Amino acid sequence: MSVQATLDAGRQSAQAAGPFALNVTAIRDLGPRLRRVTLGGAGLHGFATDDGATWDMRVKLVIPSPGRPLPQPEAFEGHDGAGAALTWRQGWLRLPEAGRGELRSYTVREARLGQASPEIDVDFVLHPGGPQGPAARWAGKLRTGDPALVVGPRAAAGNCQGIEFAPGGARHVLLAGDETALPAIAGILRDLPAGIRAEAFIEVPDAAMVEELPSRATATVTWLQRSGHGHGELLTGAVRRAIPATAGLPDPDARDSGLEEVGPERTLLWDTPQYRRLFGAPADGPDADGAPFYAWIAGESSMVTGLRRHLVRECGIHRGSVAFMGYWKQGTPQR
Ligand SMILES: Cc1cc2nc3c(=O)[nH]c(=O)nc-3n(C[C@H](O)[C@H](O)[C@H](O)COP(=O)(O)OP(=O)(O)OC[C@H]3O[C@@H](n4cnc5c(N)ncnc54)[C@H](O)[C@@H]3O)c2cc1C
């Protein structure tokens, strides 16, 4: 089944995604700001991937409330007044607020599900010296053996929800993001087939986060080390140079359509062809299947908003060919 078909199937089912009770099986610090946490448990045999590939798959982590245990997965289950099974989120929202913890999004950096003890890796950006949220604090204190609760796609539901990367038939792919998007960009590069041209731009705090990113695609990776520059400044400049305003197809509809739809009530910008398709926005012209170029952009929300303005408004690139994802927002906790 294609990623799109499985996403559609997953949308139909309340059981498409659910909580997995896991344990920390390893912790590796990859420099002072990046911590790789390996999570394992027999339950992971029920975790879905796209035929082994995870691309940019996101999961939710339940971060325990201070001094409280993590909720049990069974606590998410139940039925509404009409007898319909609750989604995991509805179940979680019914739990008493004081003990249900906080939800935060992370990326499956790697899944090793075929082995006797299946595992996934999650890379946590730590921001020492900066504002600390519940997830960064929790990740910084984890020890091997600690429990973890991950909400992810269920194999039994025949879906692989949480994959946003959907280039259709594009042969040229642009990937751009900051350090929080590094796990996703690494996963996309790893899972791309040969014959695709991939250009990746990754802005990181310093050289400690620079690593080899293997790919079968014809890939170039440009690392931009922030060292003193404002967040997103180097990445924005690099993308603007890679795709100058004159390079796009002039498309007046694309320039003006829908750019104001992300209102102040939404903390994070999230404007992707997949999301619009799944959550009911009208189809807006040709989709990525027919386009030779596809861009995937993620990271700090204001930075992504600026790049969206550039690519859609100034370059006229159709929104059906670009996924814009605010992964976090400076000064604002994730909700
Ligand atoms: C789909 C998706 C996938 C993601 N994948 C990853 C991933 O693999 N690894 C990863 O590290 N992050 C990832 N993120 C980003 C992560 O969810 C956010 O950084 C989240 O805000 C962290 O939660 P928190 O509880 O630590 O901070 P919050 O409570 O959300 O925020 C508290 C404060 O910390 C600040 N803050 C949050 N994140 C950062 C940061 N990275 N640098 C500096 N300040 C920050 C906020 O602006 C706020 O002021 C992903 C986000 C999404 C939406």
Side-chain angles (χ1 to χ4, degrees):
M1 204 190 288
S2 72
V3 168
Q4 191 57 64
T6 51
L7 278 164
D8 289 345
R11 189 188 175 196
Q12 309 303 322
S13 157
Q15 302 311 315
F20 292 81
L22 306 175
N23 284 95
V24 176
T25 56
I27 296 173
R28 209 171 128 213
D29 285 322
L30 307 162
R33 293 165 189 269
L34 196 64
R35 169 166 275 206
R36 177 158 302 159
V37 176
T38 302
L39 302 171
L44 269 177
H45 284 302
F47 190 91
T49 61
D50 177 25
D51 286 338
T54 53
W55 304 95
D56 59 341
M57 179 184 280
R58 62 179 176 270
V59 289
K60 291 274 186 198
L61 276 134
V62 183
I63 310 299
S65 307
R68 306 288 289 265
L70 279 165
Q72 294 297 311
E74 302 75 48
F76 290 58
E77 291 167 10
H79 292 84
D80 64 16
L86 298 179
T87 64
W88 67 267
R89 189 187 288 277
Q90 291 166 333
W92 180 77
L93 282 170
R94 283 193 174 189
L95 299 176
E97 204 172 334
R100 72 183 178 210
E102 299 271 351
L103 293 177
R104 292 291 184 270
S105 301
Y106 280 84
T107 305
V108 176
R109 168 70 199 248
E110 179 128 358
R112 295 175 295 281
L113 303 182
Q115 55 192 37
S117 305
E119 291 176 326
I120 57 172
D121 291 334
V122 178
D123 286 358
F124 289 87
V125 173
L126 308 175
H127 16 107
Q132 294 292 305
R137 256 197 308 271
W138 177 76
K141 288 186 191 151
L142 280 177
R143 301 269 177 276
T144 304
D146 282 349
L149 194 55
V150 171
V151 179
R154 286 182 168 141
N159 77 95
C160 50
Q161 275 198 340
I163 296 174
E164 208 72 32
F165 181 76
R171 313 302 290 170
H172 177 196
V173 169
L174 175 88
L175 307 168
D178 65 12
E179 60 269 40
T180 62
L182 166 56
I185 293 177
I188 292 169
L189 287 172
R190 180 200 59 224
D191 293 334
L192 274 174
I196 303 287
R197 183 178 147 220
E199 278 177 283
F201 295 92
I202 310 172
E203 186 186 291
V204 291
D206 51 44
M209 277 197 199
V210 175
E211 58 173 306
E212 192 77 35
L213 298 179
S215 184
R216 280 161 298 186
T218 307
T220 51
V221 179
T222 304
W223 293 92
L224 303 151
Q225 294 173 38
R226 199 168 296 129
S227 37
H229 288 86
H231 197 107
E233 210 180 302
L234 297 180
L235 188 73
T236 302
V239 172
R240 280 176 165 273
R241 281 190 297 279
I243 315 215
T246 49
L249 301 170
D251 178 347
D253 292 338
R255 271 189 210 137
D256 291 328
S257 68
L259 276 188
E260 312 316 331
E261 79 186 13
V262 183
E265 72 287 357
R266 294 259 330 252
T267 10
L268 295 176
L269 167 70
W270 200 272
D271 180 14
T272 73
Q274 286 285 60
Y275 195 81
R276 282 199 299 280
R277 188 165 180 276
L278 282 180
F279 293 96
D284 53 357
D287 64 18
D289 282 344
F293 172 77
Y294 173 83
W296 181 105
I297 299 190
E300 201 284 321
S301 202
S302 318
M303 172 191 89
V304 176
T305 303
L307 285 172
R308 179 176 185 253
R309 202 171 297 126
H310 172 67
L311 292 177
V312 176
R313 216 168 246 176
E314 296 168 20
C315 300
I317 293 174
H318 199 279
R319 287 166 73 213
S321 298
V322 194
F324 298 101
M325 290 152 290
Y327 269 16
W328 63 285
K329 190 170 171 63
Q330 249 164 6
T332 309
Q334 199 178 87
R335 287 278 173 255

